[in-house]
């Protein structure tokens, strides 16, 4: 297989923008045409939550896929996918805070403290926020070795996000269970690298 060129990576980034914006357009169209089922507010919260989770998983798939296909340049699309995951997570939180709670910040805080599935969702949200704000190359350079340590938290986010999903449903656990299995699969795919990092940490402490 021919190696991807930097130009091909730019084209791939354009495709990622186009697909993400198309999914956003689908949501806007569904809202305007009343096509979000019996409870449109829940519909928006579900759509944005699933989109955040799917893009988070896609972000984590990039490295193993790049290794498997020996296409090292592919890792250049990881940041963009990660930012889109955070983008959907922002819409998800905004939808819940405005449409469900009427922008009552105190109520939002008390709900997050009171309901464990929301506490877990908020933890994932904060991790994604930290990863997004530290994702630029200049911050990566400034942070040095601490950058990788911080960005390893993405694995915690990847396992907590489907747990938040699982906990949020009442009875239909099949879909969130599949997501938990995928998360474990993604962690196993990165297991060798993770093990090396943990061993290095233990040896250096
Ligand atoms: C402060 C942060 C967050 C809050 C307040 C929050 C809130 C919620 C709420 C209220 C629901 C719907 C529960 C129901 O059906 O009654 C939900 C579901 C969900 N959330 Fe979150 N969430 C947060 C963060 C996240 C993040 C960061 C992700 C993913 C990366 C995520 C992914 C999901 C998924 C996949 C669902 C299930 C959607 C479905 O039922 O189809 N959430 N969340």
């Amino acid at each position: 297989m021919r190696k991807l060129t930097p130009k091909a990576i730019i084209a791939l980034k354009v495709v990622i923008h186009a697909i993400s914006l198309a999914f956003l357009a689908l949501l806007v169209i569904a809202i305007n045409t009343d096509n979000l089922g019996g409870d449109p507010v829940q519909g928006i919260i579900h759509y944005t939550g699933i989109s955040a989770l799917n893009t988070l998983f896609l972000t984590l798939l990039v490295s193993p896929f790049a290794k498997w296909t020996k296409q090292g340049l592919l890792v250049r699309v990881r940041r963009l996918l990660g930012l889109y995951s955070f983008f959907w997570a922002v819409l998800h939180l905004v939808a819940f805070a405005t449409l469900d709670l009427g922008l009552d910040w105190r109520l939002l805080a008390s709900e997050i403290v009171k309901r464990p599935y929301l506490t877990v969702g908020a933890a994932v949200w904060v991790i994604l926020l930290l990863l997004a704000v530290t994702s630029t190359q200049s911050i990566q350079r400034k942070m040095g070795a601490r950058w990788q340590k911080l960005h390893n938290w993405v694995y915690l986010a990847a396992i907590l996000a489907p747990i938040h999903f699982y906990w949020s449903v009442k009875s239909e656990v099949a879909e969130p269970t599949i997501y938990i299995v995928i998360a474990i699969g993604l962690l196993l795919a990165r297991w060798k690298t993770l093990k090396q990092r943990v061993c290095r940490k233990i040896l250096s402490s």
Side-chain angles (χ1 to χ4, degrees), residues 42-120:
Q42 281 306 95
I44 297 172
I45 293 173
H46 289 188
Y47 189 97
T48 49
I50 288 287
S51 303
L53 186 53
N54 285 342
T55 15
L56 178 62
F57 280 6
L58 274 179
T59 313
L60 282 166
L61 257 181
V62 172
S63 285
F65 187 72
K67 249 189 204 159
W68 182 56
T69 54
K70 297 192 175 62
Q71 295 286 357
L73 279 191
L74 265 182
V75 296
R76 291 193 188 172
V77 301
R78 217 170 29 180
R79 174 171 183 252
L80 183 59
L81 285 170
L83 288 175
Y84 266 117
S85 176
F86 179 58
F87 167 75
W88 285 110
V90 170
L91 290 187
H92 182 62
L93 176 58
V94 168
F96 178 59
T98 52
L99 305 174
D100 233 2
L101 306 182
L103 272 187
D104 185 338
W105 299 111
R106 250 196 232 166
L107 182 58
L108 174 66
S110 80
E111 286 287 293
I112 287 175
V113 172
K114 218 168 51 195
R115 297 182 199 276
Y117 88 92
L118 290 181
T119 316
V120 172

Side-chain angles (χ1 to χ4, degrees), residues 5 10 15 28 42 44 46 51 67 71 76 89 95 113 122 129-130 135 139 145 164 167-168 172-173 177 194:
T5 60
I10 292 173
V15 171
V28 174
Q42 281 306 95
I44 297 172
H46 289 188
S51 303
K67 249 189 204 159
Q71 295 286 357
R76 291 193 188 172
V113 172
L129 168 72
L130 289 175
S135 67
I139 294 190
H164 162 70
W167 230 338
S168 79
E172 286 154 17
V173 293
T177 306
L194 277 174

